[in-house]
Amino acid sequence: MESPSYQMPLRDTPTQAPRSRFPSNIVYNVRDNLVFRSKWAELNGAMGDLGTYIPIVLALTLSVDLNLGTTLIFTGIYNILTGAIYGVPMPVQPMKSIAAVAISNSAEFGVPEIMAAGICTGGILFLLGVTGLMQLVYKLIPLSVVRGIQLSQGLSFAMSAVKYIRKVQDFSKSKSGGDRHWLGLDGLVLAIVCAFFIIVVNGAGEEGSEREGDDINLGGRERPRKRGVRQMVASLPSAFMVFLLGVILAFIRRPGVVHDFKFGPSSIEAVKISKHAWKEGFVKGTIPQLPLSVLNSVIAVCNLSSDLFPGKDFSASSVSVSVGLMNLVGCWFGAMPCCHGAGGLAGQYKFGGRSGGCVALLGAAKLVLGLVLGSSLVMVLNQFPVGVLGVLLLFAGIELAMASRDMNTKEEAFVMLICTAVSITGSSAALGFLCGIAVHLLLKVRNWHNDQPCSTV
């Protein structure tokens, strides 16, 4: 009985030794982070963030002449690198506040101002990360306030999704038109059928031990395997199939779009940013974007990733540096200002993304499209059924909002809901955050005051 226990370390030593070496350890970790947990599930999960990405990129391309080819190339590289580093479907999303300012005021807030805003925001986040201040902020913010930000962002996505489904959209002006027709290649019936299909395949999402996709439950008993039709339906890549349907319909709606393709990458040039553009970018873009980036792109992402992927806890400093570097590099060449986002992480998880290979696959697709078609791809995106994008965005928003269901006490739920209400009605995550912190502190003071007589007895 003693010989097996004595021989085990000797057998393990040769296989573990290479991992102690720095280069070999990096290669092993990257390979492990990029491995697919399930091929179809990871492919499906890669579609989970497109409901946010495509409308904003399309709107910026049409309204301010954003270089779509450059944006695809850089965001593709970001996707591949973040997937390799973090090992989870870490999204790369547009900075929404900067995009909103550019779309609503394209005459005065053009590409130089957008890039200046992205560089300034990235620079501040980079400094907060390398100094460790971001990690300090992450530890001090109450969970109930973080959940309030997540709930408000999730509901905001869901409401935008319903608007995409019900109303005709003009992304170049960021405006909604009349009611969408019931029938047609971008009609209400199409969107409803797509939504029903995703619900039938994915249900409400995974819960508990199902999260890891294991076949073993606690107690050593195997979970009964799904059989027959149910197993086949549950294995379908629903989001990928819906997105592929949208691409096919885009070509059917305008068959001549293939003649507008120009093969080859768009020219990548450094953006010239004047002093006026730096000022406008910082005042109108960075100031409103920074609180949203800190709360949703860093703090909420770290919190959500620890919820969805136990054991993969990332420091707020690391995520903050990641967002900072993306913009300190890409914005100089005209790539859209980017960040990570809790909504994108929730959306990709909802549709099956479980590893870094999910976003690396999406990044590879962006990179190929950017190099082969460049900015001419906007012709296809402009014909993509908006109702289908709305369906993908709807489920991403709901998945993010459901992260707030762990508020078990009335006090925690109270703080969370106040934070959510102010964020949504005031259209400002920063304002909701401040109100949530204020209410949290008032409740702590009140409880401390009520406990005083007991402590003095």
Side-chain angles (χ1 to χ4, degrees):
M1 295 296 292
E2 294 180 358
S3 58
S5 62
Y6 175 75
Q7 292 175 0
M8 285 296 288
L10 295 177
R11 264 200 305 262
D12 286 347
T13 302
T15 57
Q16 296 292 333
R19 297 184 190 178
S20 64
R21 298 175 183 175
F22 185 68
S24 300
N25 196 32
I26 291 179
V27 172
Y28 173 80
N29 288 334
V30 169
R31 187 170 53 190
D32 184 62
N33 286 340
L34 293 178
V35 68
F36 284 0
R37 304 295 180 255
S38 169
K39 293 179 181 179
W40 283 112
E42 301 289 2
L43 176 63
N44 198 45
M47 306 295 109
D49 192 29
L50 296 182
T52 304
Y53 183 87
I54 291 179
I56 294 179
V57 171
L58 179 60
L60 289 173
T61 303
L62 296 176
S63 60
V64 298
D65 198 24
L66 177 79
N67 192 324
L68 177 61
T70 301
T71 295
L72 286 172
I73 291 172
F74 275 94
T75 55
I77 294 172
Y78 301 156
N79 277 132
I80 295 170
L81 291 177
T82 53
I85 292 170
Y86 293 108
V88 301
M90 184 72 75
V92 174
Q93 297 181 315
M95 286 189 171
K96 298 173 185 65
S97 290
I98 294 176
V101 174
I103 295 168
S104 61
N105 190 19
S106 57
E108 299 179 4
F109 202 87
V111 170
E113 288 78 11
I114 293 172
M115 300 309 147
I119 293 169
C120 292
T121 305
I124 294 173
L125 291 173
F126 179 79
L127 290 176
L128 289 174
V130 295
T131 58
L133 291 176
M134 186 65 78
Q135 188 67 22
L136 178 64
V137 172
Y138 176 64
K139 291 181 178 179
L140 292 177
I141 295 178
L143 179 61
S144 55
V145 175
V146 176
R147 292 297 191 233
I149 297 298
Q150 290 175 322
L151 180 58
S152 65
Q153 191 71 52
L155 292 177
S156 177
F157 281 175
M159 290 187 290
S160 296
V162 173
K163 183 174 67 175
Y164 288 175
I165 294 170
R166 293 186 61 241
K167 302 288 185 180
V168 177
Q169 301 297 313
D170 184 356
F171 287 131
S172 64
K173 299 179 181 178
S174 190
K175 291 182 179 180
S176 298
D179 291 338
R180 191 175 298 282
H181 294 297
W182 281 93
L183 302 177
L185 298 179
D186 191 13
L188 279 173
V189 172
L190 172 67
I192 293 172
V193 169
C194 290
F196 282 1
F197 174 69
I198 290 175
I199 292 173
V200 169
V201 173
N202 296 93
E206 296 176 349
E207 187 80 38
S209 61
E210 294 180 12
R211 203 170 256 178
E212 298 301 320
D214 295 334
D215 287 329
I216 306 297
N217 276 331
L218 293 176
R221 292 180 299 174
E222 290 192 2
R223 182 166 62 240
R225 292 183 178 273
K226 303 171 186 175
R227 297 183 182 276
V229 176
R230 186 182 175 190
Q231 181 185 10
M232 183 177 66
V233 170
S235 65
L236 292 175
S238 57
F240 176 71
M241 293 172 71
V242 167
F243 180 75
L244 187 61
L245 174 63
V247 173
I248 294 172
L249 292 177
F251 283 101
I252 295 176
R253 293 177 73 189
R254 189 185 166 194
V257 72
V258 293
H259 301 299
D260 296 327
F261 285 156
K262 297 179 180 179
F263 293 98
S266 305
S267 59
I268 300 178
E269 300 176 354
V271 178
K272 297 179 181 179
I273 305 176
S274 64
K275 291 183 179 179
H276 178 74
W278 282 112
K279 177 184 175 182
E280 291 291 300
F282 182 81
V283 173
K284 295 182 179 180
T286 299
I287 291 176
Q289 177 64 48
L290 192 59
L292 182 62
S293 292
V294 171
L295 295 171
N296 188 56
S297 302
V298 180
I299 293 173
V301 164
C302 291
N303 200 286
L304 185 63
S305 64
S306 64
D307 291 341
L308 299 179
F309 304 96
K312 284 195 177 275
D313 297 328
F314 310 118
S315 70
S317 296
S318 168
V319 178
S320 184
V321 168
S322 172
V323 177
L325 287 176
M326 286 193 299
N327 294 284
L328 287 175
V329 174
C331 288
W332 289 104
F333 301 99
M336 171 189 64
C338 294
C339 61
H340 303 308
L345 178 59
Q348 288 170 150
Y349 181 88
K350 165 70 178 178
F351 291 116
R354 296 294 184 273
S355 73
C358 168
V359 288
L361 181 65
L362 177 62
K366 290 180 183 177
L367 193 58
V368 170
L369 289 173
L371 292 173
V372 174
L373 296 178
S375 295
S376 64
L377 186 64
V378 72
M379 304 299 179
V380 177
L381 296 182
N382 201 24
Q383 298 300 320
F384 196 96
V386 178
V388 173
L389 289 177
V391 171
L392 295 175
L393 181 59
L394 174 64
F395 289 104
I398 291 175
E399 184 71 21
L400 176 58
M402 285 197 297
S404 63
R405 68 189 186 278
D406 63 347
M407 295 290 96
N408 297 320
T409 68
K410 191 171 183 178
E411 183 175 299
E412 289 177 331
F414 182 74
V415 173
M416 176 188 72
L417 292 174
I418 285 182
C419 181
T420 300
V422 175
S423 296
I424 291 179
T425 57
S427 299
S428 170
L431 184 59
F433 167 76
L434 292 175
C435 291
I437 290 291
V439 172
H440 174 80
L441 293 176
L442 286 174
L443 291 175
K444 289 295 182 184
V445 171
R446 178 180 181 275
N447 294 338
W448 175 79
H449 179 72
N450 290 338
D451 291 341
Q452 280 299 100
C454 298
S455 61
T456 56
V457 173

